[in-house]
Amino acid sequence: MLEVEGLTKHFSTGGGVLGVGAETVRAVDRVSFSIARGETFGLVGESGCGKTTVGRCVLRLVEPSAGAVRFEGENLLELGKDALRRRRRDMQIIFQDPYASLNPRMTVGAIVEEPLVIHGVGSRVERRARVARLLDEVGLATDAAARYPHEFSGGQRQRIGIARALALKPKLIVADEPVSALDVSVQAQIVNLLQELQREHALTYLFISHGLAVVEHISTRVGVMYLGRLAEVAASSVLYERPLHPYTRALISAIPNPDPDAPRERIVLAGDVPTPIAPPSGCRFRTRCPLAEAVCAEIEPELEELEPGHFVACHVAAREAATPQIAGTFPSEAS
């Protein structure tokens, strides 16, 4: 359904007078992936790695600097304003912050109905009936339509955002950290709701999150981002059982274990994430990678299919895949 090829987004810092001293933030740099119809593609990484920018560029809420985004074979970056608006009926977004994404001056009914009004769908009576069905579908009482966002909890507000995203019967939904601002117990409810809606409406998700446990639960495949680039892409079960990139291994080792007595080794990365204004030469992860070699500073690794359906951008992992008897080891800290 969705093909993203060489997606790039650079921002200018502005600089001083006439742009003197302006610098370029390489937020997203040549990212490529695809999402099949009906699957959930999870996009994970540390804060600031560019995953939210990817989601917004896919929908052209942020204009990409380069690349192609093909939705059902049609390049969205080549569409004019009117054609893009028509296409957006098939693509919607659930925003991260349920407090900031809802207009406090509008009733819930008006918020959910607004996409239908903008696209001229149905009569007023038909739209009101559609709103009532949507609110019921996401677990809210029908009388919620007459109330305002401030009268609801965070989880309820996110349900309102989900109802709004479903209003136009989209095929693709970009879920931009939809549970990160919610309590853990509420997170589970929203994730279960998203899965239920996916089954009922044959939805396809681009699920963006920094919570690896949540992504493991909901995703079919997972892409791991680091400093604007994809480091690893694989089926969810494969990625969590056999991560090949050193960064992915470190992320997975940090997932909390509910059993306090279970033995666990946590991989501790040295240093801080470099600035996207001046990323390191070669592999962007090399400055924090305990397995880095000379070649890592000279040549930037590209995503390679090291196993069927398992893509990794790492010189060391590529060599180990070719010679399995050579195994890299990480310094670890008992936790």
Side-chain angles (χ1 to χ4, degrees):
M1 175 177 284
L2 182 73
E3 289 182 277
V4 176
E5 182 180 347
L7 186 65
T8 299
K9 179 59 183 178
H10 295 168
F11 295 95
S12 174
T13 58
V17 179
L18 300 178
V20 176
E23 296 178 303
T24 299
V25 178
R26 301 175 182 273
V28 177
D29 214 351
R30 293 176 290 120
V31 167
S32 300
F33 61 89
S34 63
I35 307 178
R37 191 179 304 275
E39 81 166 339
T40 299
F41 184 83
L43 199 58
V44 301
E46 294 172 281
S47 296
C49 70
K51 54 189 185 295
T52 290
T53 304
V54 168
R56 290 174 178 262
C57 284
V58 164
L59 299 178
R60 281 186 63 183
L61 297 179
V62 171
E63 288 292 337
S65 303
V69 179
R70 297 184 181 89
F71 181 75
E72 296 184 324
E74 184 175 39
N75 191 351
L76 300 179
L77 307 189
E78 296 176 350
L79 298 182
K81 183 178 179 180
D82 292 337
L84 179 61
R85 170 169 284 192
R86 288 192 296 270
R87 252 310 185 186
R88 279 190 171 149
R89 293 183 60 167
D90 295 326
M91 307 176 296
Q92 292 294 305
I93 184 169
I94 301 170
F95 293 98
Q96 175 180 357
D97 188 349
Y99 297 91
S101 62
L102 303 178
N103 189 333
R105 296 172 179 260
M106 296 173 66
T107 64
V108 168
I111 290 171
V112 177
E113 185 185 2
E114 188 175 25
L116 302 171
V117 174
I118 290 173
H119 288 271
V121 178
S123 65
R124 185 174 182 180
V125 173
E126 290 171 335
R127 291 196 298 266
R128 294 289 174 85
R130 172 76 176 153
V131 169
R133 288 195 299 272
L134 286 168
L135 293 178
D136 179 67
E137 202 166 1
V138 299
L140 294 174
T142 53
D143 64 357
R147 297 159 62 188
Y148 289 85
H150 73 269
E151 301 179 60
F152 297 89
S153 67
Q156 290 173 322
R157 293 186 199 190
Q158 197 59 289
R159 290 174 187 268
I160 297 167
I162 293 171
R164 177 177 59 186
L166 290 173
L168 293 169
K169 300 180 180 180
K171 301 174 183 177
L172 171 71
I173 290 182
V174 175
D176 182 14
E177 305 221 29
V179 298
S180 63
L182 307 177
D183 293 337
V184 174
S185 60
V186 180
Q187 287 184 11
Q189 296 172 16
I190 297 299
V191 168
N192 290 337
L193 173 63
L194 289 172
Q195 290 181 310
E196 182 180 334
L197 293 171
Q198 183 176 38
R199 290 189 294 269
E200 292 178 1
H201 299 282
L203 295 170
T204 302
Y205 289 144
L206 171 57
F207 191 91
I208 299 167
S209 178
H210 61 260
L212 271 78
V214 174
V215 169
E216 180 183 16
H217 179 71
I218 196 173
S219 298
T220 311
R221 289 187 303 126
V222 179
V224 181
M225 285 192 70
Y226 183 81
L227 207 63
R229 294 275 286 156
L230 275 173
E232 188 165 2
V233 178
S236 179
S237 58
V238 173
L239 187 85
Y240 284 82
E241 290 177 8
R242 180 174 161 74
L244 298 182
H245 196 284
Y247 177 60
T248 309
R249 296 179 191 176
L251 287 181
I252 292 176
S253 76
I255 298 176
N257 192 323
D259 182 1
D261 298 322
R264 183 166 67 96
E265 294 293 325
R266 179 171 179 181
I267 299 169
V268 180
L269 298 176
D272 298 320
V273 180
T275 172
I277 294 177
S281 62
C283 176
R284 299 187 178 194
F285 183 61
R286 68 175 178 80
T287 57
R288 304 173 70 197
C289 180
L291 303 181
E293 301 174 349
V295 66
C296 300
E298 298 170 1
I299 303 173
E300 184 172 18
E302 299 293 334
L303 277 177
E304 296 183 59
E305 190 173 14
L306 302 187
E307 297 175 354
H310 197 157
F311 299 83
V312 186
C314 176
H315 296 300
V316 176
R319 190 184 71 244
E320 289 182 359
T323 54
Q325 69 275 15
I326 301 176
T329 57
F330 287 88
S332 61
E333 176 183 280
S335 137

